[in-house]
Amino acid sequence: MTQISHLRRGSGSPIVLVHGLGSRRQVFAPIIDLLAEQHEVIAIDLPGFGDSPALDEVRPGPRGYATWLTQWLADNGIRRPHVAGSSMGGGIAIELGRAGVASGVTAFAPVGFYGPVGRRWTQCLLTGMRGAARVAGPALDRLVEYPAGRVVLLSSMFGHPVRVDPDAARTDLAGLAGATSFAAARDDFANYVLDPGDDRGSLGEIPVTIAWGTRDIVLVHRTQSARARVVLPFARHLDLPGCGHLPFSDDPDTCARIVLEGTS
């Protein structure tokens, strides 16, 4: 069996953490210990990201990864977890809720609520960041040592980039550069758009929280959080003031509290 890189910590009912496009499980590091005080926390590197190899049988993208993750959770004895996802991981969490796999869903700035222009903006922005990380990796590694450098490099992803640990920034950029399933997952966004008339499946029967950083420019807060409210009117919708696309280092206490509230 192919080894999937993951972390399991704590005890209690399970919370599964799912990262986004070009990211890795360590993006949740600021909140893992807070969650593990009350729950077992499982954070994984999706196939083709972080330290997990790409798998030929897995179609990268929200629905393909949700199908794969359903089986991976069953194989590892993880039943009815609360699933918290970021960006693409938020879309995966929504699909696991729809399928009845998740007992609850917390989605931070999930994909699927863009129009064609918003989708292309997201794809181009992340592709540009990946290209810069691949071409100028050593120079960027030095630049993140300085607060001003982190502001220049990370402001598109974080509301407070100076709070990001330099070592975490380096490994984040390396993970983005080395993600072998990046292009396939990015292109699949064109096949993943959520509409008001979509079948909710089990999603309307479980706690669902959608949380969005007000400084998010990757999946633009102003337009896409508003559309999420229309598509998922039964969910709890929260704004995260001052937070960016990846809010976990911007405000770890609030992010952890939101996930824990969803498990109650």
Side-chain angles (χ1 to χ4, degrees):
M1 180 181 295
T2 302
Q3 191 67 30
I4 294 297
S5 175
H6 66 286
L7 168 150
R8 295 184 77 161
R9 182 175 299 168
S11 61
S13 60
I15 297 174
V16 173
L17 304 176
V18 189
H19 64 76
L21 179 66
S23 190
R24 61 200 184 101
R25 59 181 170 83
Q26 288 90 343
V27 73
F28 296 106
I31 68 171
I32 285 176
D33 287 343
L34 296 171
L35 300 178
E37 292 176 1
Q38 302 179 40
H39 295 268
E40 181 184 22
V41 179
I42 303 99
I44 70 166
D45 284 337
L46 294 168
F49 293 94
D51 293 323
S52 292
L55 301 176
D56 291 339
E57 66 273 20
V58 178
R59 188 190 80 186
R63 292 193 177 96
Y65 279 135
T67 299
W68 168 81
L69 188 52
T70 296
Q71 187 61 52
W72 186 88
L73 293 171
D75 290 344
N76 285 273
I78 302 166
R79 310 291 186 211
R80 297 282 292 168
H82 185 93
V83 182
S86 168
S87 195
M88 180 177 71
I92 296 168
I94 288 171
E95 292 306 308
L96 292 174
R98 195 200 305 264
V101 174
S103 63
V105 167
T106 303
F108 293 91
V111 296
F113 300 102
Y114 33 55
V117 173
R119 170 179 57 79
R120 286 193 292 270
W121 162 256
T122 300
Q123 291 170 316
C124 291
L125 177 61
L126 294 175
T127 299
M129 290 184 64
R130 172 174 158 84
R134 299 181 78 178
V135 171
L140 301 187
D141 286 350
R142 293 189 294 272
L143 197 55
V144 298
E145 281 292 336
Y146 306 99
R150 295 199 293 280
V151 169
V152 170
L153 292 175
L154 305 177
S155 290
S156 61
M157 302 299 289
F158 301 91
H160 301 282
V162 295
R163 297 179 186 174
V164 179
D165 178 77
D167 288 335
R170 273 190 288 270
T171 50
D172 283 345
L173 291 168
L176 175 61
T180 55
S181 292
F182 176 91
R186 174 202 62 199
D187 293 347
D188 189 68
F189 285 7
N191 303 316
Y192 191 72
V193 179
L194 299 171
D195 291 311
D198 290 344
D199 178 19
R200 295 178 182 175
S202 298
L203 201 60
E205 303 168 7
I206 60 174
V208 177
T209 299
I210 309 296
W212 225 293
T214 60
R215 292 186 182 178
D216 191 342
I217 64 168
V218 178
L219 293 166
V220 179
H221 165 264
R222 183 179 61 82
T223 55
Q224 296 185 40
S225 67
R227 179 171 172 79
R229 285 172 163 85
V230 173
V231 176
L232 302 177
F234 54 86
R236 178 177 67 147
H237 293 268
L238 302 174
D239 289 337
L240 304 176
C243 292
H245 183 60
L246 300 175
F248 312 108
S249 63
D250 288 334
D251 193 346
D253 290 339
T254 295
C255 290
R257 176 177 54 78
I258 288 169
V259 175
L260 292 172
E261 287 173 351
T263 67
S264 300

